[in-house]
Amino acid sequence: MKPDPTVARAKYLDALEAEGGGSEVRELVAAIVYPIAGRLSLEPKTEFARFAARMTPRVDYDSADVAALDPADQRTIWGLRAALAELPPRVLANRIDIAFNMIVGVFAAFEVRREEDLNHGPALDELSETLIDMVTAALTC
Amino acid sequence: MTSITTARERIVSVADRILNERGTDRVTIREILRESEQHNMSAIKYYFGDKEGLLRAVFRRRRLTLNAARRDRLDQLEADGRGAEVRALIEAVVLPVADRLRNAPPQADYARFAARMTPRIDYTSGDVANLDPADQRIIKALRVALSELPETVVDDRVDTAFNMIVGVLAAYESRRDEGLEYGPASLDVLSKTLIDMVTAGLCAADSAGTQLVEPGAHDLAEKA
């Protein structure tokens, strides 16, 4: 059975909360990134990230009602909105939307390189850490 | 008699134009050849090997145009004394693509095509000689501006930044194509936010060694 990143994301968030965490921006970004990386690491031939990059623009992350999203994604978005509440609402909404599209776009690029045996760019683990560092800074700047 | 170079360039030029007008997945090789006044279906194989080879040639042509726009912007930034600023360098990456999107026909998939092709570029190499001259200037200047960070961190971030940028602009284009009014309210707002975010991402402190609360997402994914 193919690993479902949304299931992994829910478990990751549960584990963070059980340890008293889960409310920091970095943790929430990691909850977006790691499950996708986990899926890519287990499925070398997948087009999962490219499909996600094509479909993610159809998601309205800015909606006040995010009920249409997967529950784990809802938790991530509510968490980010709470953690970044000091930002102007419009700025916050734009950044969250862009962050999700950044992440899937970068993983899609990784997938293309892997499929074409191009040996440039970070390996998957380094890419995940790089993305978490960059997106966290991008959201909190 | 048409020279080989002229015939090849004509095919690339026509392909660039009609792919931009209609979108990459909405154009056939037959249409490209017909509009190029090439009557031999084997012309693509002869000049480019296959359709992917033609698409690489189109991407190369578009990068030349983009290079000229970035070069002009870099020259202006240097004249303004901003040529070494990370934010200014990211403006030079983002804004020429945004300009292109602003003026693109409704069906164009310029940014999505760029997002598909950009992973083929190696932004991490120490030798940047294979990149377009403007991109060479940008990467060299970013490496200097970020020289307090470990070299591998800088390389990974710069490479990731280029793919982030085309990925986000591709998402914008996809929404525009589908009439979805999600995300930032305009291309200008998107560009500014993207520049803010990528600049911050590049300049972030190096977190190597930082221990996250690490429940082990990879393990979780395996169990899912």
Side-chain angles (χ1 to χ4, degrees):
Chain A
M1 184 176 161
K2 292 175 182 174
D4 180 348
T6 59
V7 174
R9 184 165 300 132
K11 290 182 179 176
Y12 187 87
L13 291 166
D14 288 344
L16 285 171
E17 287 173 10
E19 294 177 32
S23 60
E24 291 181 11
V25 174
R26 186 179 179 84
E27 293 172 328
L28 294 161
V29 173
I32 305 168
V33 168
Y34 283 143
I36 302 174
R39 171 76 178 249
L40 298 192
S41 73
L42 292 171
E43 266 200 289
K45 304 271 188 200
T46 188
E47 292 187 13
F48 175 82
R50 280 168 286 183
F51 182 72
R54 209 162 64 235
M55 301 308 285
T56 298
R58 296 177 181 170
V59 178
D60 183 7
Y61 291 102
D62 180 16
S63 169
D65 173 17
V66 292
L69 299 178
D70 177 87
D73 286 346
Q74 290 182 40
R75 287 169 69 185
T76 311
I77 291 168
W78 286 120
L80 287 172
R81 287 178 181 170
L84 297 165
E86 65 201 39
L87 289 172
R90 193 68 254 153
V91 172
L92 174 57
N94 288 342
R95 286 189 190 173
I96 290 174
D97 181 86
I98 289 174
F100 273 89
N101 283 292
M102 274 179 169
I103 290 167
V104 291
V106 168
F107 277 126
F110 169 83
E111 222 174 54
V112 169
R113 286 172 167 171
R114 184 168 65 176
E115 184 175 89
E116 298 188 10
D117 291 326
L118 301 172
N119 290 319
H120 51 253
L124 186 56
D125 286 346
E126 283 78 36
L127 179 63
S128 300
E129 299 309 319
T130 301
L131 260 178
I132 293 167
D133 285 348
M134 292 182 75
V135 174
T136 300
L139 285 165
T140 54
C141 63
Chain B
M1 184 176 137
T2 308
S3 73
I4 288 175
T5 304
T6 306
R8 186 185 187 282
E9 285 177 358
R10 179 165 178 76
I11 295 170
V12 176
S13 168
V14 166
D16 184 8
R17 176 177 58 76
I18 64 176
L19 291 173
N20 190 51
E21 286 170 357
R22 301 180 213 165
T24 311
D25 295 331
R26 300 180 182 116
V27 178
T28 65
I29 289 292
R30 190 177 295 276
E31 288 171 301
I32 292 169
L33 288 174
R34 187 173 60 238
E35 296 204 27
S36 308
E37 298 174 348
Q38 294 291 316
H39 305 294
N40 190 340
M41 283 298 288
S42 63
I44 297 297
K45 184 172 176 52
Y46 179 76
Y47 291 119
F48 307 101
D50 54 20
K51 186 180 179 184
E52 272 303 302
L54 171 61
L55 294 179
R56 281 195 293 275
V58 170
F59 184 53
R60 176 77 198 132
R61 180 185 168 85
R62 291 184 182 180
R63 282 170 55 199
L64 290 174
T65 309
L66 195 59
N67 177 69
R70 284 184 177 154
R71 181 200 59 217
D72 293 348
R73 199 168 281 275
L74 288 168
D75 289 346
Q76 186 59 52
L77 289 168
E78 284 177 9
D80 295 342
R82 297 185 62 216
E85 291 177 16
V86 174
R87 184 184 177 82
L89 295 162
I90 298 307
E91 287 172 10
V93 179
V94 171
L95 296 178
V97 183
D99 287 343
R100 179 74 185 240
L101 296 189
R102 190 173 290 110
N103 300 313
Q107 304 275 302
D109 62 353
Y110 179 87
R112 283 166 286 182
F113 183 71
R116 183 171 147 196
M117 303 302 280
T118 297
R120 294 167 184 178
I121 301 174
D122 182 4
Y123 292 105
T124 59
S125 170
D127 174 14
V128 293
N130 290 328
L131 300 178
D132 297 315
D135 284 356
Q136 289 183 36
R137 285 169 69 184
I138 291 166
I139 287 169
K140 285 178 182 171
L142 284 173
R143 287 176 180 169
V144 172
L146 300 169
S147 59
E148 288 181 14
L149 292 168
E151 202 172 304
T152 54
V153 170
V154 174
D155 288 347
D156 286 351
R157 285 188 187 176
V158 169
D159 183 81
T160 301
F162 272 87
N163 284 294
M164 273 179 173
I165 289 166
V166 291
V168 168
L169 292 170
Y172 165 82
E173 195 179 66
S174 179
R175 285 172 168 166
R176 185 172 69 177
D177 197 23
E178 297 186 24
L180 300 172
E181 295 182 349
Y182 305 156
S186 70
L187 183 55
D188 286 342
V189 174
L190 173 68
S191 301
K192 183 189 175 302
T193 309
L194 186 56
I195 291 164
D196 287 345
M197 292 178 76
V198 173
T199 301
L202 285 167
C203 296
D206 173 29
S207 69
T210 298
Q211 192 65 48
L212 276 173
V213 179
E214 180 60 83
H218 292 246
D219 295 339
L220 289 171
E222 283 176 33
K223 291 171 192 164

Short mmCIF file of all heavy atoms in Angstrom, two decimals, chain A residues 50-78:
data_model
loop_
_atom_site.label_atom_id
_atom_site.label_comp_id
_atom_site.label_asym_id
_atom_site.label_seq_id
_atom_site.Cartn_x
_atom_site.Cartn_y
_atom_site.Cartn_z
N ARG A 50 4.90 15.68 -8.64
CA ARG A 50 4.50 16.44 -9.83
C ARG A 50 2.98 16.55 -9.91
O ARG A 50 2.44 17.58 -10.29
CB ARG A 50 5.07 15.77 -11.09
CG ARG A 50 6.53 16.14 -11.32
CD ARG A 50 7.17 15.28 -12.36
NE ARG A 50 7.44 13.94 -11.82
CZ ARG A 50 8.05 12.97 -12.50
NH1 ARG A 50 8.44 13.20 -13.73
NH2 ARG A 50 8.28 11.79 -11.94
N PHE A 51 2.30 15.49 -9.51
CA PHE A 51 0.84 15.54 -9.47
C PHE A 51 0.40 16.57 -8.41
O PHE A 51 -0.50 17.39 -8.66
CB PHE A 51 0.28 14.15 -9.14
CG PHE A 51 -1.21 14.09 -9.11
CD1 PHE A 51 -1.95 14.17 -10.28
CD2 PHE A 51 -1.90 13.98 -7.91
CE1 PHE A 51 -3.34 14.12 -10.27
CE2 PHE A 51 -3.29 13.94 -7.89
CZ PHE A 51 -4.00 14.01 -9.06
N ALA A 52 1.05 16.52 -7.26
CA ALA A 52 0.71 17.48 -6.19
C ALA A 52 0.97 18.92 -6.65
O ALA A 52 0.17 19.83 -6.37
CB ALA A 52 1.53 17.19 -4.94
N ALA A 53 2.05 19.12 -7.39
CA ALA A 53 2.36 20.48 -7.86
C ALA A 53 1.30 20.96 -8.86
O ALA A 53 1.01 22.15 -8.95
CB ALA A 53 3.74 20.51 -8.50
N ARG A 54 0.74 20.02 -9.60
CA ARG A 54 -0.29 20.40 -10.57
C ARG A 54 -1.63 20.68 -9.87
O ARG A 54 -2.39 21.54 -10.29
CB ARG A 54 -0.45 19.27 -11.59
CG ARG A 54 -0.89 19.73 -12.94
CD ARG A 54 -0.64 18.73 -14.05
NE ARG A 54 -1.39 17.50 -13.90
CZ ARG A 54 -0.85 16.29 -13.88
NH1 ARG A 54 0.45 16.15 -14.01
NH2 ARG A 54 -1.59 15.22 -13.75
N MET A 55 -1.90 19.95 -8.79
CA MET A 55 -3.21 20.06 -8.13
C MET A 55 -3.24 21.12 -7.01
O MET A 55 -4.31 21.67 -6.71
CB MET A 55 -3.61 18.70 -7.53
CG MET A 55 -3.71 17.59 -8.56
SD MET A 55 -4.76 18.00 -9.98
CE MET A 55 -6.38 17.86 -9.25
N THR A 56 -2.11 21.37 -6.38
CA THR A 56 -2.09 22.28 -5.23
C THR A 56 -2.62 23.67 -5.56
O THR A 56 -3.30 24.28 -4.72
CB THR A 56 -0.68 22.33 -4.61
OG1 THR A 56 -0.36 21.01 -4.15
CG2 THR A 56 -0.58 23.29 -3.45
N PRO A 57 -2.35 24.22 -6.75
CA PRO A 57 -2.93 25.54 -7.06
C PRO A 57 -4.45 25.55 -7.01
O PRO A 57 -5.06 26.62 -6.90
CB PRO A 57 -2.44 25.82 -8.49
CG PRO A 57 -1.19 25.01 -8.62
CD PRO A 57 -1.43 23.78 -7.80
N ARG A 58 -5.08 24.40 -7.06
CA ARG A 58 -6.55 24.35 -7.00
C ARG A 58 -7.07 24.41 -5.57
O ARG A 58 -8.28 24.38 -5.36
CB ARG A 58 -7.05 23.07 -7.68
CG ARG A 58 -6.71 23.08 -9.16
CD ARG A 58 -7.11 21.81 -9.85
NE ARG A 58 -6.74 21.88 -11.26
CZ ARG A 58 -6.79 20.86 -12.10
NH1 ARG A 58 -7.19 19.69 -11.69
NH2 ARG A 58 -6.42 21.01 -13.36
N VAL A 59 -6.15 24.45 -4.62
CA VAL A 59 -6.56 24.53 -3.21
C VAL A 59 -6.53 25.99 -2.78
O VAL A 59 -5.57 26.72 -3.05
CB VAL A 59 -5.59 23.72 -2.32
CG1 VAL A 59 -5.98 23.86 -0.85
CG2 VAL A 59 -5.56 22.27 -2.76
N ASP A 60 -7.60 26.40 -2.10
CA ASP A 60 -7.67 27.78 -1.59
C ASP A 60 -7.23 27.79 -0.13
O ASP A 60 -8.03 27.61 0.77
CB ASP A 60 -9.10 28.31 -1.73
CG ASP A 60 -9.20 29.76 -1.29
OD1 ASP A 60 -8.16 30.37 -1.01
OD2 ASP A 60 -10.33 30.26 -1.24
N TYR A 61 -5.94 28.01 0.08
CA TYR A 61 -5.40 28.01 1.45
C TYR A 61 -5.80 29.26 2.22
O TYR A 61 -5.61 29.34 3.41
CB TYR A 61 -3.88 27.89 1.42
CG TYR A 61 -3.41 26.54 0.94
CD1 TYR A 61 -2.93 26.36 -0.35
CD2 TYR A 61 -3.46 25.44 1.79
CE1 TYR A 61 -2.52 25.11 -0.79
CE2 TYR A 61 -3.05 24.18 1.36
CZ TYR A 61 -2.58 24.04 0.08
OH TYR A 61 -2.17 22.79 -0.35
N ASP A 62 -6.31 30.20 1.49
CA ASP A 62 -6.64 31.50 2.07
C ASP A 62 -8.04 31.53 2.66
O ASP A 62 -8.41 32.41 3.41
CB ASP A 62 -6.50 32.54 0.93
CG ASP A 62 -6.81 33.94 1.39
OD1 ASP A 62 -6.83 34.16 2.60
OD2 ASP A 62 -7.03 34.80 0.52
N SER A 63 -8.83 30.52 2.33
CA SER A 63 -10.22 30.53 2.76
C SER A 63 -10.32 30.52 4.28
O SER A 63 -9.58 29.82 4.97
CB SER A 63 -10.92 29.29 2.19
OG SER A 63 -12.17 29.15 2.78
N ALA A 64 -11.26 31.30 4.81
CA ALA A 64 -11.49 31.27 6.25
C ALA A 64 -11.99 29.89 6.65
O ALA A 64 -11.71 29.38 7.72
CB ALA A 64 -12.51 32.34 6.62
N ASP A 65 -12.72 29.28 5.76
CA ASP A 65 -13.24 27.94 6.00
C ASP A 65 -12.37 26.95 5.23
O ASP A 65 -12.47 26.83 4.01
CB ASP A 65 -14.68 27.86 5.49
CG ASP A 65 -15.21 26.44 5.56
OD1 ASP A 65 -14.61 25.63 6.28
OD2 ASP A 65 -16.22 26.17 4.89
N VAL A 66 -11.50 26.27 5.94
CA VAL A 66 -10.61 25.32 5.27
C VAL A 66 -11.16 23.89 5.38
O VAL A 66 -10.43 22.93 5.23
CB VAL A 66 -9.17 25.40 5.83
CG1 VAL A 66 -8.52 26.71 5.47
CG2 VAL A 66 -9.16 25.16 7.33
N ALA A 67 -12.46 23.81 5.65
CA ALA A 67 -13.07 22.50 5.92
C ALA A 67 -12.96 21.53 4.74
O ALA A 67 -13.05 20.32 4.93
CB ALA A 67 -14.54 22.68 6.31
N ALA A 68 -12.75 22.08 3.53
CA ALA A 68 -12.66 21.19 2.38
C ALA A 68 -11.31 20.46 2.34
O ALA A 68 -11.15 19.50 1.59
CB ALA A 68 -12.85 21.99 1.10
N LEU A 69 -10.37 20.94 3.13
CA LEU A 69 -9.05 20.31 3.10
C LEU A 69 -9.01 19.07 3.98
O LEU A 69 -9.85 18.87 4.85
CB LEU A 69 -7.99 21.31 3.58
CG LEU A 69 -7.84 22.59 2.76
CD1 LEU A 69 -6.79 23.49 3.38
CD2 LEU A 69 -7.47 22.25 1.33
N ASP A 70 -7.96 18.28 3.75
CA ASP A 70 -7.73 17.13 4.60
C ASP A 70 -7.54 17.61 6.05
O ASP A 70 -6.94 18.66 6.29
CB ASP A 70 -6.45 16.44 4.10
CG ASP A 70 -6.09 15.28 4.97
OD1 ASP A 70 -6.60 14.19 4.70
OD2 ASP A 70 -5.33 15.48 5.94
N PRO A 71 -8.04 16.84 7.04
CA PRO A 71 -7.94 17.29 8.44
C PRO A 71 -6.51 17.64 8.88
O PRO A 71 -6.31 18.60 9.63
CB PRO A 71 -8.49 16.10 9.23
CG PRO A 71 -9.45 15.44 8.29
CD PRO A 71 -8.86 15.62 6.92
N ALA A 72 -5.54 16.87 8.44
CA ALA A 72 -4.16 17.17 8.84
C ALA A 72 -3.70 18.51 8.25
O ALA A 72 -3.00 19.28 8.90
CB ALA A 72 -3.22 16.05 8.40
N ASP A 73 -4.11 18.78 7.02
CA ASP A 73 -3.77 20.08 6.41
C ASP A 73 -4.49 21.21 7.14
O ASP A 73 -3.93 22.29 7.34
CB ASP A 73 -4.14 20.09 4.92
CG ASP A 73 -3.17 19.27 4.09
OD1 ASP A 73 -2.10 18.92 4.60
OD2 ASP A 73 -3.51 18.96 2.93
N GLN A 74 -5.73 20.96 7.54
CA GLN A 74 -6.46 21.97 8.33
C GLN A 74 -5.71 22.30 9.61
O GLN A 74 -5.54 23.47 9.96
CB GLN A 74 -7.85 21.46 8.71
CG GLN A 74 -8.81 21.33 7.54
CD GLN A 74 -10.18 20.86 8.02
OE1 GLN A 74 -10.66 21.28 9.07
NE2 GLN A 74 -10.80 19.98 7.26
N ARG A 75 -5.24 21.25 10.30
CA ARG A 75 -4.51 21.47 11.55
C ARG A 75 -3.24 22.27 11.30
O ARG A 75 -2.89 23.16 12.08
CB ARG A 75 -4.12 20.13 12.19
CG ARG A 75 -5.27 19.39 12.79
CD ARG A 75 -4.89 17.97 13.16
NE ARG A 75 -3.96 17.88 14.28
CZ ARG A 75 -3.42 16.72 14.69
NH1 ARG A 75 -3.71 15.59 14.08
NH2 ARG A 75 -2.57 16.72 15.71
N THR A 76 -2.56 21.95 10.21
CA THR A 76 -1.32 22.67 9.88
C THR A 76 -1.61 24.14 9.62
O THR A 76 -0.90 25.03 10.11
CB THR A 76 -0.65 22.04 8.64
OG1 THR A 76 -0.59 20.63 8.82
CG2 THR A 76 0.73 22.59 8.43
N ILE A 77 -2.66 24.40 8.85
CA ILE A 77 -2.98 25.79 8.51
C ILE A 77 -3.45 26.57 9.73
O ILE A 77 -3.00 27.69 9.97
CB ILE A 77 -4.03 25.82 7.38
CG1 ILE A 77 -3.38 25.31 6.10
CG2 ILE A 77 -4.57 27.24 7.17
CD1 ILE A 77 -4.35 25.02 4.99
N TRP A 78 -4.31 25.96 10.53
CA TRP A 78 -4.75 26.66 11.75
C TRP A 78 -3.55 26.92 12.66
O TRP A 78 -3.44 27.98 13.27
CB TRP A 78 -5.81 25.84 12.50
CG TRP A 78 -7.16 25.86 11.85
CD1 TRP A 78 -7.86 24.78 11.38
CD2 TRP A 78 -7.98 27.00 11.59
NE1 TRP A 78 -9.06 25.19 10.82
CE2 TRP A 78 -9.17 26.55 10.95
CE3 TRP A 78 -7.84 28.36 11.82
CZ2 TRP A 78 -10.19 27.40 10.55
CZ3 TRP A 78 -8.87 29.22 11.42
CH2 TRP A 78 -10.01 28.73 10.80
#
